[in-house]
């Protein structure tokens, strides 16, 4: 029985009421009492391979084929999915995580990662050059991973750096243990002295700096219901501690966020429709939504899109984390039809949440795509998710 969803939105109860199995695939019957979307998310996060009956009005009765692959053990009483073998040219940067939500780089050779459910901000450096005095965290390979900030945070979701205006500082969005949703500035040298820059009405997730103005934009899934997502605008040069400006408030699960700096376009990924909402930062007007991922072939026919970035070689292509499909995909910007021009770039990852091109300094190659994983119904004690490096990564469909 799960008494609350991992998104901390509304009470959710999922209970197994029976089971049966055959020689090839076990099945359990689950009754979910909660929001329809919450029940859907619970099944997806649990890692079910497929659902054999459609979801209806709660209480929802769902036939779930479990587990999706041969189980390798239990995590907190719930059988977790078997970790797939790594694809070619993909290696582990760090592991042992429950839910890495977002990644960002600075110009000093650091990569930062938000450990969502543990309320931590991590710093990753290459060749054993980690900042001294920080608490050890999980890490493997040629990189060293440390905990930069924790304690007062219930959730840490997004991070971004503005080296030009605030060198040595990481901006993070998250949910404090006192209940506040905030954008905070964290000095890398003295992380315990972090300060609240602005209060957001809901917990931010995707976050970027508009280089021309220095304004920070962050997205929020809100209550995960249609029309419940937000985009906030914060100007850190105009005083700290106030409320963020609401730029948009009628989106569905606004998740990933990116800025096409040369064109002045703000892109916001809508997680469950897998489309991209666009705002012109120069004209201050919405340009509507475009493209997205096909939903066929994904779990529950929902090809949920988490974070995304743009291709290095051509900013007219989006590179997206297909969270429910365990893949990295690409599709063209401003395509009017979801799926047109879409291609699968990489499989073999598990629950991808974000990806960023390396900074080109400190051992983080600019031709490498760094990918984070996360998402488990069993909470912060899970240790199966990783940060990966895809060396010499493709950024356009294989047929181009």
């Amino acid at each position: 029985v799960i008494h609350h969803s991992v998104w901390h939105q509304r009470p959710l109860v999922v209970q197994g009421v029976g089971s049966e199995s055959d020689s090839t695939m076990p099945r359990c019957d689950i009754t979910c009492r909660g929001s329809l979307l919450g029940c859907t998310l619970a099944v997806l996060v649990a890692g079910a391979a497929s659902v054999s009956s459609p979801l209806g009005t709660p209480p929802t009765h769902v036939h779930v084929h479990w587990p999706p692959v041969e189980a390798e053990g239990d995590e907190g009483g719930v059988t977790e999915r078997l970790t797939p073998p790594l694809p070619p040219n993909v290696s582990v940067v760090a592991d042992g995580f429950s839910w890495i939500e977002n990644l960002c780089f600075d110009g000093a050779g650091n990569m930062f990662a938000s450990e969502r459910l543990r309320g931590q901000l991590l710093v990753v450096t290459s060749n054993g050059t980690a900042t001294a005095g920080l608490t050890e965290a999980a890490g493997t390979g040629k990189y060293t991973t440390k905990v930069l900030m924790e304690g007062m945070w219930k959730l840490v979701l997004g991070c971004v750096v503005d080296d030009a205006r605030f060198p040595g500082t990481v901006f993070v969005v998250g949910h404090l243990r006192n209940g506040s949703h905030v954008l905070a500035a964290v000095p890398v040298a003295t992380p315990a002295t972090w300060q609240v820059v602005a209060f957001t009405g809901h917990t931010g997730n995707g976050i970027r700096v508009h280089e021309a103005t220095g304004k920070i934009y962050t997205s929020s899934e809100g209550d995960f219901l249609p029309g419940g997502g937000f985009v906030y605008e914060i100007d850190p040069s105009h005083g700290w501690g106030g409320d963020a400006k609401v730029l948009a408030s009628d989106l569905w699960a606004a998740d990933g966020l990116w800025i096409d700096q040369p064109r002045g376009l703000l892109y916001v990924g809508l997680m469950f429709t897998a489309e991209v909402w666009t705002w012109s930062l120069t004209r201050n007007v919405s340009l509507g939504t475009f493209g997205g991922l096909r939903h066929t072939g994904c779990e529950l026919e929902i090809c949920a899109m988490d974070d995304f970035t743009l291709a290095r070689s051509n900013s007219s292509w989006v590179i997206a984390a297909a969270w429910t499909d365990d893949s990295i995909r690409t599709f063209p910007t401003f395509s009017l039809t979801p799926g047109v021009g879409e291609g699968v770039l990489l499989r073999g990852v598990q629950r991808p949440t974000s990806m960023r091109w390396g900074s080109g300094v400190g051992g983080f190659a600019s031709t490498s795509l760094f990918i984070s994983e996360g998402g488990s119904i069993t909470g912060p004690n899970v240790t199966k998710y990783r940060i990966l490096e895809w060396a010499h990564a493709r950024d356009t469909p294989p047929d181009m």
Side-chain angles (χ1 to χ4, degrees), residues 49-390:
S50 60
V51 174
S52 60
S53 63
L55 298 176
T57 303
T60 301
H61 197 75
V62 185
H63 301 296
V64 180
H65 297 287
W66 184 271
V69 294
E70 183 180 357
E72 66 173 357
D74 290 341
E75 291 278 8
V78 177
T79 303
E80 288 285 338
R81 296 156 30 122
L82 187 67
T83 301
L86 288 173
N89 297 326
V90 177
S91 59
V92 175
V93 172
D95 61 8
F97 306 118
S98 66
W99 194 320
I100 299 295
E101 182 67 36
N102 278 301
L103 304 172
C104 62
F105 291 90
D106 67 9
N110 298 309
M111 175 171 68
F112 302 95
S114 55
E115 230 292 8
R116 178 177 184 143
L117 299 183
R118 295 177 190 168
Q120 296 173 332
L121 179 66
L122 311 175
V123 58
V124 183
T125 52
S126 65
N127 303 320
T129 58
T131 306
L134 302 177
T135 305
E136 284 289 345
T140 59
K142 65 179 182 178
Y143 298 96
T144 302
T145 307
K146 305 277 187 177
V147 176
L148 184 65
M149 181 191 70
E150 61 181 345
M152 295 181 64
W153 295 77
K154 185 176 182 179
L155 301 170
V156 177
L157 274 77
C159 66
V160 73
V161 172
D162 185 354
D163 281 324
R165 297 174 180 86
F166 298 94
T169 298
V170 187
F171 291 97
V172 299
V173 283
H175 187 187
L176 297 179
R177 294 191 182 277
N178 66 9
S180 299
H181 309 277
V182 301
L183 166 70
V186 183
V188 177
T190 56
T193 64
W194 60 267
Q195 300 180 61
V196 173
V197 178
F199 292 90
T200 55
H202 295 76
T203 303
N205 191 331
I207 179 172
R208 297 297 294 168
V209 174
H210 184 210
E211 294 174 358
T213 63
K215 293 179 179 179
I216 298 175
Y217 295 86
T218 183
S219 56
S220 174
E221 293 97 338
D223 57 12
F224 283 91
L225 297 176
F230 296 83
V231 178
Y232 297 101
E233 178 187 274
I234 303 100
D235 189 345
S237 68
H238 287 175
W240 292 8
D243 293 333
K245 174 185 175 181
V246 177
L247 184 70
S249 60
D250 57 352
L251 306 177
W252 185 2
D255 196 310
L257 184 148
W258 196 257
I259 295 178
D260 185 333
Q261 304 286 355
R263 293 196 280 183
L265 297 176
L266 172 70
Y267 297 138
V268 179
L270 309 182
M271 185 174 187
F272 298 111
T273 63
E275 296 173 308
V276 179
W277 177 83
T278 310
W279 178 270
S280 171
L281 295 172
T282 56
R283 296 166 51 197
N284 290 316
V285 63
S286 171
L287 302 181
T289 60
F290 67 78
L293 304 177
R294 290 186 300 266
H295 292 292
T296 55
C298 295
E299 294 177 22
L300 302 186
E301 298 302 308
I302 297 176
C303 206
M305 181 174 66
D306 205 313
D307 202 8
F308 63 94
T309 187
L310 298 180
R312 289 178 62 253
S313 61
N314 186 342
S315 62
S316 295
W317 287 87
V318 172
I319 301 177
W323 189 69
T324 51
D325 187 53
D326 291 345
S327 66
I328 305 298
R329 299 189 179 199
T330 186
F331 57 89
T333 59
F334 294 104
S335 170
L336 298 180
T337 305
V340 172
E342 180 184 345
V344 175
L345 297 178
L346 184 69
R347 292 196 181 276
V349 294
Q350 47 184 358
R351 292 292 184 253
T353 54
S354 73
M355 73 291 296
R356 293 288 180 265
W357 294 104
S359 60
V361 296
F364 296 102
S366 61
T367 55
S368 289
L369 191 66
F370 291 83
I371 303 166
S372 62
E373 300 176 332
S376 178
I377 206 165
T378 56
N381 293 327
V382 172
T383 59
K384 64 174 290 184
Y385 292 109
R386 307 161 297 184
I387 300 172
L388 305 174
E389 178 182 2
W390 181 16

